[in-house]
Amino acid sequence: MAKQIKDPVHGYIEVPDELIPFLDLPVLQRLHYIRQLGFAYLVYPGANHTRFEHSLGAMSLADKVCQNVGLEEDERLMVCCAALLHDIGHGPYSHASERLRSEFGAFSHDDILPFADILDPLLGDIGCDIHEAAAIISGNHRLAPIIHGDLDVDRMDYLLRDAHYSGVPYGTLDANRLIQSLFMDDEHGLTLRDSGVAAAESLLIARTLMGPSVYYHHVSRIAEEMFLLAGRLHFTGDTIDAFMRMDDAEGTMTLLNSPNAAARDLMMRIRSRRLFKRAVYVGRDQVDMPRLTQLSSASRERLRMEISDAAGVDEHAVILDIPPLRKDMQMQVKVKSLHDYVPFEDIVPLLPLMNATRQEQWRLGVYAAEENVEAVKRAALDVLGVSSPTKQVRLEF
């Protein structure tokens, strides 16, 4: 009988007998101690759920998809195993450490091959090749859309789970309806029946609304940028990979005990929630977007130093946050109507509007300690050439 685990989002999750040995692997157990939403707990105190819970949830939904589309047992096990393992590459504070690690060279948390020596024996026991499982997780396999695609179970679970634990209701979607509307087509791969279009739309809307409310909330963003600055001051190319194998608590203690005083101070501020404040927080209409978003890392650092010099504050007392533009949501999946296969984008006029909304959610931030906010604001407005916001005028017809 499959092992049952009680989950607050999906009810009882059944783990196939063949996958039970994977649950006790140290690389998977480590996810118990990595928060799913990084520093969002500083905004939403309930957002303490972990990557382990999410991995179980993704596996459960993947199993439902596999059964619904009629995969053979060996493929079902392989996809479920890939869903269970898809996040073992995450470092402390999830995507925050991934951003830091990427500054030292190419990196993706989707790559499970570095764990081959640990995973190979168990994968062999269920007749699964690690390269094939890795291809599913990274999106390079015909079954990959189940886990890494436009309507994947990874996204379904994290939206539902993040909404549940944060208390923000915008992540609600009908995952069961969506899964029941999927099928595998020899030519088009994972395909959506027209009965599932509304459920798919709800997923897109949830992604759009959860962005500014949770994933890019300014407090969470400030804490993440403080963490990144502390990490740049402490880690080197020789030490960063060991850090990526730590959990949140180990990563925090590493920076709290850093020989670099500024790194210690930044991490202690996060720990005690004495976060930097917004000195400047503006939209794309107030800055030179083409110039700022194409700056190299070195050029951004020079701008940050210029702001701190002009404000007369310590160089580590200012953070310049120029996020990349959010990628447009795309739906390559085909919809099976009564007589034909139709591109999803052809029948959902909301998609361009939602992508435009995502672009307008972009914000440039300059953050500083509360006592320095006014001085940093004056300096940043001048250095960055920030203009007054465009006045929105409502037209009368």
Side-chain angles (χ1 to χ4, degrees), residues 36-344:
Q36 172 79 7
L37 285 178
F39 296 102
Y41 72 94
L42 295 168
V43 185
Y44 302 106
N48 283 297
H49 54 301
T50 68
R51 289 276 158 184
F52 185 84
E53 301 163 58
H54 165 60
S55 298
L56 284 176
M59 181 214 67
S60 178
L61 294 179
D63 197 14
K64 290 181 179 180
V65 173
C66 291
Q67 293 185 52
N68 187 70
V69 303
L71 291 188
E72 297 294 334
E73 182 63 14
D74 59 337
E75 291 185 330
R76 169 181 166 256
L77 273 180
M78 181 170 61
V79 171
C80 288
C81 187
L84 187 63
L85 299 174
H86 80 282
D87 267 353
I88 61 174
H90 269 296
Y93 295 107
S94 295
H95 290 290
S97 59
E98 183 172 14
R99 290 180 62 199
L100 179 64
R101 174 60 183 82
S102 295
E103 295 179 9
F104 291 86
F107 177 83
S108 172
H109 76 271
D110 290 329
D111 185 9
I112 65 168
L113 292 178
F115 304 93
D117 58 330
I118 300 169
L119 299 177
D120 261 338
L122 290 183
L123 288 171
D125 289 344
I126 64 171
C128 179
D129 177 72
I130 189 170
H131 293 282
E132 196 164 7
I136 292 175
I137 293 171
S138 63
N140 299 303
H141 191 281
R142 67 179 183 85
L143 298 176
I146 297 174
I147 294 173
H148 190 124
D150 296 323
L151 297 175
D152 62 59
V153 296
D154 177 23
R155 189 171 287 127
M156 290 184 211
D157 182 82
Y158 78 62
L159 286 169
L160 288 168
R161 195 168 299 278
D162 296 348
H164 175 85
Y165 281 100
S166 66
V168 175
Y170 309 131
T172 304
L173 61 114
D174 192 346
N176 286 329
R177 178 67 170 180
L178 190 50
I179 288 171
Q180 290 168 10
S181 302
L182 295 171
F183 68 99
M184 293 297 291
D185 179 82
D186 291 340
E187 180 181 354
H188 303 292
L190 194 65
T191 305
L192 181 69
R193 295 184 180 89
D194 56 4
S195 59
V197 168
E201 281 185 294
S202 73
L203 184 146
L204 295 174
I205 293 169
R207 289 177 62 188
T208 301
L209 296 180
M210 287 288 281
S213 299
V214 178
Y215 305 130
Y216 298 97
H217 190 284
H218 71 273
V219 171
S220 179
R221 188 79 186 182
I222 289 171
E224 184 170 319
E225 290 295 323
M226 292 173 68
F227 163 80
L228 289 173
L229 180 53
R232 293 181 192 115
L233 294 170
H234 177 82
F235 294 108
T236 66
D238 294 328
T239 60
I240 189 64
D241 284 332
F243 173 70
M244 295 300 291
R245 298 293 182 100
M246 297 180 184
D247 58 37
D248 287 1
E250 292 171 317
T252 297
M253 292 309 298
T254 297
L255 288 173
L256 286 175
N257 291 290
S258 172
N260 186 290
R264 292 197 306 271
D265 177 67
L266 286 162
M267 202 64 213
M268 181 55 73
R269 281 178 171 273
I270 296 172
R271 179 88 167 171
S272 57
R273 209 184 184 281
R274 293 182 296 111
L275 304 177
F276 284 9
K277 305 297 182 183
R278 289 178 290 182
V280 173
Y281 198 65
V282 295
R284 53 189 297 168
D285 62 322
Q286 294 180 253
V287 295
D288 185 349
M289 283 288 294
R291 180 178 72 90
L292 290 176
T293 55
Q294 293 177 23
L295 290 175
S296 65
S297 297
S299 296
R300 292 185 185 205
E301 182 64 9
R302 283 194 293 271
L303 269 182
R304 187 181 72 83
M305 296 287 287
E306 191 175 341
I307 293 170
S308 63
D309 287 344
V313 300
D314 184 81
E315 64 182 273
H316 303 127
V318 173
I319 287 174
L320 173 61
D321 178 21
I322 308 176
L325 283 171
R326 295 176 71 184
K327 294 180 181 178
D328 280 352
M329 295 185 294
Q330 296 182 339
M331 293 291 278
Q332 303 296 333
V333 67
K334 289 288 197 298
V335 177
K336 177 67 168 66
S337 64
L338 195 58
H339 304 293
D340 199 6
Y341 290 88
V342 183
F344 184 91

Side-chain angles (χ1 to χ4, degrees), residues 20-38:
I20 290 174
F22 288 88
L23 295 181
D24 292 328
L25 286 174
V27 292
L28 198 59
Q29 285 295 309
R30 182 180 70 96
L31 301 184
H32 272 299
Y33 312 105
I34 296 179
R35 288 186 177 93
Q36 172 79 7
L37 285 178

